[in-house]
Amino acid sequence: MRQILRWLFDLLVRFMRTLDLPLLGAILALMVIGLAVLYSAADHAIGLVVRQGAFFVAGLGMMWVLSRIPPNQLRNWTPFVFALSLIPLMLVLLIGTGKHGRHWINLGVVYVQPAELLKLSLPMMVAWYLDRQSLPPRFRTVLIAGLLIAVPTGLILMQPDFGTAMLVAVSGAFALYLAGLPWWWFGMAFGAVAAIAPVAWFWLLRPYQQDRILTFLNPESDPLGTGWNIIQSKIAIGAGGLTGKGWGQGSQSHLNYLPEHTTDFIFAVLSEEFGWVGVATVLALYLFVIGRCLWIAAEARDGYSRLIAGALGLAFCVYVIVNGGMISGLLPVVGVPMPLLSYGGTSAVSLLAGLGVVMAVRAHRPVYAR
C-alpha cells in the first residue's frame, strides 16, 4: 500500500511539475467562486454550472498541455498557429450566427467564438515577429507589427464585435509596448482613432452600438430602454453594501431585473450577493494573477518568452478593467466577459490556454540567456 501511495505521489508530482502552483491556486479559487456565483445567477440551474465546469476542465487540460511545451517550440509553431486561427475567423463571416451579427460557429454540441482564439494567437505572433527584429522596434518593424494586429482586428470588426476587437488589438499592442516602443507612438494611434471617430460614428457603428455609447453618456435618458442594463447593474452593486445580501439572495438577478446576469453582468451579481468583501476578494485574486504573470515575464531570459508572458498578463488586466468599468457605468457596454466568472466556453478555454503559455515560460526557463 505504501508503494502504491508513493507511486501515485510521484505521478502527481510529475503531472504538476510544469504548472506554476501559486498561479494555479489563484485560478482555481476564481473558478470555484465563478461556479458558485453562476449557480446563484442561473437560479440554481445545475446544468449550466456543469457545462461551465466542463469548459473549465477542458481549459485546465489545455493549460497543462501548453505548460509542458518549451517556449522555443511554441515560438517555432507560432506562425502556423496564427494562420490556423484566422481560418475560423474568416469562416464565421460566412456561416456564423449571433444576436447582432455573426460571432459564433455552431458545431452542434457547442458554439465556438473564433475571435476568442486571437486573444492568444495574436500576441504570440507579434512577439514572434518582434523577437526576430532589433529592439526597440524601428519604423518598419512597427508598421509590419501594426499590420499583423490590424488584419484580425478588422475581421472581428466585420462581425461586428467591437469589444473583442478592442481586446485583441490591445493584446498585440502590449507586445509592442514591452518591446520598447515609445509612448508617443501610442499617443499617435490614439489621436488617429479620435480623428476618425466622427466617420466611424456614421459609417461603421451600427445603431445598437451608437445607443450603447449614448447610454453610457446619459443612461437616465431612457431608463426603461437602452439605459436599463446600466441602471439595474448600478442598483445591484449599490445594494450589496459591505457584506452583501447573501448567496442566492440577490433580488436584481433573481427577479430578472438584471439582464445578461450569467454572462456580461455576472460581476454585478457577485457585488449584490457578497458585497464589498466579495468584490475585494475577487479583485485581489485578479491582481495576484496579473502580478504573477508580470513577474514570470520579468524573470524570462529570452525575448519571445518575456513579450508573450507580459502581453498576456497585461491583456488579462484589461479584461478585468473593461468589464468592471462596463457594469459600473464607467465605460460603455461592449460585451466583454469577466475572466473565469462569466459563463462562456470559448472565452474560458482560450484564457486558460494563455495562462498555460505563461506557465511554460516559467517551467522551461533556461539557466542562461540565449
Side-chain angles (χ1 to χ4, degrees):
M1 184 65 179
R2 183 179 299 176
Q3 290 179 343
I4 294 176
L5 292 176
R6 183 177 299 174
W7 178 79
L8 290 175
F9 178 76
D10 291 341
L11 182 64
L12 180 63
V13 169
R14 288 197 297 269
F15 181 83
M16 302 282 288
R17 184 176 55 193
T18 57
L19 298 176
D20 185 75
L21 295 183
L23 183 55
L24 178 63
I27 292 169
L28 291 176
L30 286 168
M31 285 182 178
V32 171
I33 294 172
L35 291 176
V37 177
L38 179 62
Y39 179 72
S40 173
D43 290 326
H44 306 164
I46 191 65
L48 197 68
V49 178
V50 170
R51 285 196 294 272
Q52 184 70 355
F55 291 136
F56 282 161
V57 171
L60 288 171
M62 285 292 297
M63 174 192 290
W64 178 75
V65 169
L66 288 171
S67 72
R68 299 182 66 85
I69 302 175
N72 286 339
Q73 195 167 346
L74 284 174
R75 179 170 52 233
N76 295 334
W77 293 350
T78 291
F80 174 74
V81 171
F82 178 69
L84 197 63
S85 66
L86 291 178
I87 295 175
L89 194 61
M90 293 183 288
L91 193 62
V92 74
L93 297 175
L94 301 175
I95 63 172
T97 182
K99 183 178 180 180
H100 294 295
R102 299 179 182 271
H103 306 151
W104 304 85
I105 295 179
N106 186 0
L107 298 181
V109 180
V110 295
Y111 284 84
V112 174
Q113 188 177 6
E116 291 288 338
L117 305 177
L118 273 297
K119 292 181 180 179
L120 175 59
S121 65
L122 177 61
M124 288 177 64
M125 186 62 194
V126 177
W128 175 86
Y129 173 69
L130 293 174
D131 185 50
R132 302 166 69 89
Q133 311 299 319
S134 60
L135 300 179
R138 300 177 181 178
F139 182 75
R140 177 177 176 274
T141 302
V142 175
L143 289 183
I144 295 177
L147 182 62
L148 291 173
I149 296 171
V151 169
T153 302
L155 289 172
I156 297 171
L157 285 173
M158 290 172 65
Q159 295 181 8
D161 189 346
F162 178 80
T164 305
M166 177 193 67
L167 296 181
V168 167
V170 165
S171 67
F174 277 137
L176 273 169
Y177 168 71
L178 294 171
L181 187 66
W183 276 103
W184 61 267
W185 274 95
F186 297 98
M188 287 179 56
F190 180 80
V193 171
I196 65 172
V199 177
W201 178 267
F202 292 104
W203 297 101
L204 296 180
L205 296 183
R206 297 194 175 187
Y208 78 91
Q209 293 172 321
Q210 295 175 342
D211 288 340
R212 286 178 174 179
I213 295 175
L214 294 175
T215 300
F216 161 68
L217 297 175
N218 185 17
E220 285 73 21
S221 63
D222 188 10
L224 298 180
T226 57
W228 177 267
N229 294 7
I230 293 300
I231 293 173
Q232 298 304 317
S233 179
K234 288 181 179 180
I235 292 174
I237 294 172
L242 180 62
T243 58
K245 293 182 176 180
W247 186 38
Q249 302 302 313
S251 59
Q252 293 301 110
S253 59
H254 291 287
L255 296 179
N256 292 323
Y257 287 109
L258 185 65
E260 307 294 342
H261 48 269
T262 61
T263 53
D264 294 347
F265 287 87
I266 196 169
F267 200 66
V269 178
L270 171 78
S271 302
E272 183 180 23
E273 297 189 354
F274 296 95
W276 181 88
V277 174
V279 171
T281 300
V282 170
L283 291 181
L285 288 169
Y286 281 141
L287 184 61
F288 180 83
V289 171
I290 296 163
R292 186 69 178 176
C293 290
L294 296 180
W295 181 83
I296 291 173
E299 292 290 308
R301 293 176 179 171
D302 67 271
Y304 175 83
S305 298
R306 182 173 62 255
L307 293 177
I308 188 61
L312 290 173
L314 290 173
F316 188 97
C317 179
V318 171
Y319 305 157
V320 175
I321 291 174
V322 170
N323 182 272
M326 182 182 77
I327 63 109
S328 60
L330 299 177
L331 292 173
V333 176
V334 290
V336 174
M338 183 63 85
L340 302 178
L341 290 188
S342 298
Y343 176 78
T346 313
S347 174
V349 173
S350 62
L351 178 64
L352 292 170
L355 293 172
V357 173
V358 175
M359 290 184 182
V361 172
R362 172 64 177 165
H364 302 280
R365 185 179 60 171
V367 178
Y368 302 102
R370 291 189 303 165

